[in-house]
Amino acid sequence: MPEHKRLALGIDLGGTAIKVGVVTHKGEIIGRGERATEVQKGAQGVIANMAAAARDAMDAAGVTVADLEGAGVGAPGICDAARGIVVRAVNLDWDNVEVAEALGKALGLPAYLDNDANCAALGEQWCGAASGSHHALMITLGTGVGGGLVLDGKIYHGFRGWSGEFGHMPAVDNGPACNCGRRGCVETVASATAMANFARREIEAGRAPYMAAKAAEQGGKVDARLVIYAAREGDAAAVGVLREVGEHLGLAMAGLVGALNPELIVVGGGGSHAGDFVLEPMRKVIREKAMPGPADVVQVVPAELGNDAGLIGAASLVWR
Ligand SMILES: [Zn+2]
């Protein structure tokens, strides 16, 4: 344990699990706790579970509330960070839940809250791939595509807290249906889900015999992991699928590069395990399509903190 008292709780609130870390002022996690979210118990039940997971983490770190300066929460959905409220979270079925105040009371600590993707961006900017940068965009390739904007050193929230929805920028005219109700959003062509969908398309067209054989070995299941594995094994069809995803991402981000002049674009989430198979085509399209100038200086880099980015960034809310 560090000799001086500079510790905070970072809480990653997900739809199935609550993950908590006791985080030092340098971004190290010295104790962890995890509990099931139990959405069916309602908001107050979930907040009680957050407090319980926090106490587990304190026990694991060998500290008490008196050793901590506060708690930060990364929550899914639309958040009012200034007021510590989750405005709308579909996967928790929450509307206007005052999380920070209730959790603060339960723990006896000041508590803060922001959207989980924003927290991941803050984590990477604090002590990950964008460490020290004041102008970084974070994009997360998972089931969907999330994002966060660090502009002038701070998270940019937008008018009502909806900023950073890179996954729902229009990418393809009349493209696949998106969960948001539109068609052809970035996440329909550039998420981990899209990698699997493109691979399935290639398999069905008879153009991907290697991936078809690998899928048959796992009961026909085609997922991003399989595509990435096949690409690493040198399968041209898999490399092509990942290139397609990277090119869509590059085009989507090219507009933002001109508009915002970021120093870094940090790519995280499960889909980022594709590494340069996605990042190289992404860089190429940005170099070719984004405005000269900002296109020449921006760097596209993989995230470094993995699943801990949100938790670490949430803890940093205490010191911001
Ligand atoms: Zn959408």
Side-chain angles (χ1 to χ4, degrees):
M1 195 184 142
E3 58 293 349
H4 54 287
K5 185 177 115 179
R6 301 243 63 189
L7 299 172
L9 290 166
I11 302 176
D12 181 0
L13 171 60
T16 53
I18 298 160
K19 293 173 185 168
V20 183
V22 175
V23 179
T24 72
H25 198 242
K26 290 178 178 168
E28 298 146 340
I29 300 170
I30 59 166
R32 291 176 188 267
E34 182 170 343
R35 298 259 176 147
T37 309
E38 299 182 305
V39 173
Q40 74 281 3
K41 288 193 173 171
Q44 296 319 310
V46 171
I47 290 167
N49 287 342
M50 289 165 75
R55 284 188 277 270
D56 293 345
M58 286 187 258
D59 288 346
V63 301
T64 67
V65 168
D67 299 311
L68 294 160
E69 291 183 62
V73 181
I78 308 303
C79 297
D80 182 338
R83 295 195 296 152
I85 291 172
V86 174
V87 176
R88 177 84 193 120
V90 174
N91 61 353
L92 300 175
D93 197 21
W94 284 9
D95 285 295
N96 294 310
V97 176
E98 295 190 340
V99 176
E101 195 187 322
L103 181 70
K105 267 187 197 151
L107 291 173
L109 283 170
Y112 309 86
L113 171 133
D114 206 332
N115 165 269
D116 50 9
N118 287 345
C119 287
L122 286 174
E124 292 289 344
Q125 189 242 353
W126 181 27
C127 51
S131 175
S133 173
H134 284 209
H135 309 279
L137 309 182
M138 166 109 187
I139 183 161
T140 311
L141 315 181
T143 309
V145 169
L149 300 91
V150 177
L151 301 177
D152 287 333
K154 288 188 221 153
I155 283 289
Y156 177 76
H157 289 100
F159 176 43
R160 288 277 167 86
W162 294 79
S163 70
E165 291 290 347
F166 301 144
H168 301 284
M169 300 191 291
V172 182
D173 265 349
N174 254 322
C178 184
N179 288 330
C180 74
R182 309 270 189 228
R183 302 194 78 90
C185 292
V186 166
E187 75 175 34
T188 67
V189 291
S191 54
T193 311
M195 291 176 190
N197 289 344
F198 289 164
R200 237 175 262 121
R201 179 199 65 200
E202 293 302 301
I203 289 170
E204 280 161 21
R207 291 190 294 255
Y210 182 77
M211 286 197 285
K214 285 286 150 194
E217 284 173 17
Q218 51 183 33
K221 188 172 155 225
V222 178
D223 53 14
R225 190 187 301 256
L226 180 145
V227 183
I228 294 166
Y229 173 83
R232 286 185 187 143
E233 292 294 303
D235 178 52
V239 171
V241 161
L242 297 178
R243 184 190 308 123
E244 193 175 349
V245 165
E247 286 171 351
H248 280 299
L249 275 175
L251 190 59
M253 300 311 279
L256 293 176
V257 166
L260 301 171
N261 184 202
E263 178 184 10
L264 291 164
I265 296 173
V266 179
V267 184
S272 70
H273 294 137
D276 279 343
F277 289 115
V278 164
L279 299 192
E280 253 323 300
M282 193 178 165
R283 292 180 186 117
K284 183 166 182 286
V285 171
I286 289 172
R287 274 196 306 270
E288 289 170 358
K289 306 276 186 188
M291 185 190 167
D296 305 327
V297 296
V298 69
Q299 292 179 58
V300 178
V301 297
E304 289 177 1
L305 301 180
N307 291 334
D308 287 332
L311 191 159
I312 291 171
S316 80
L317 295 174
V318 173
W319 295 304
R320 283 177 189 262

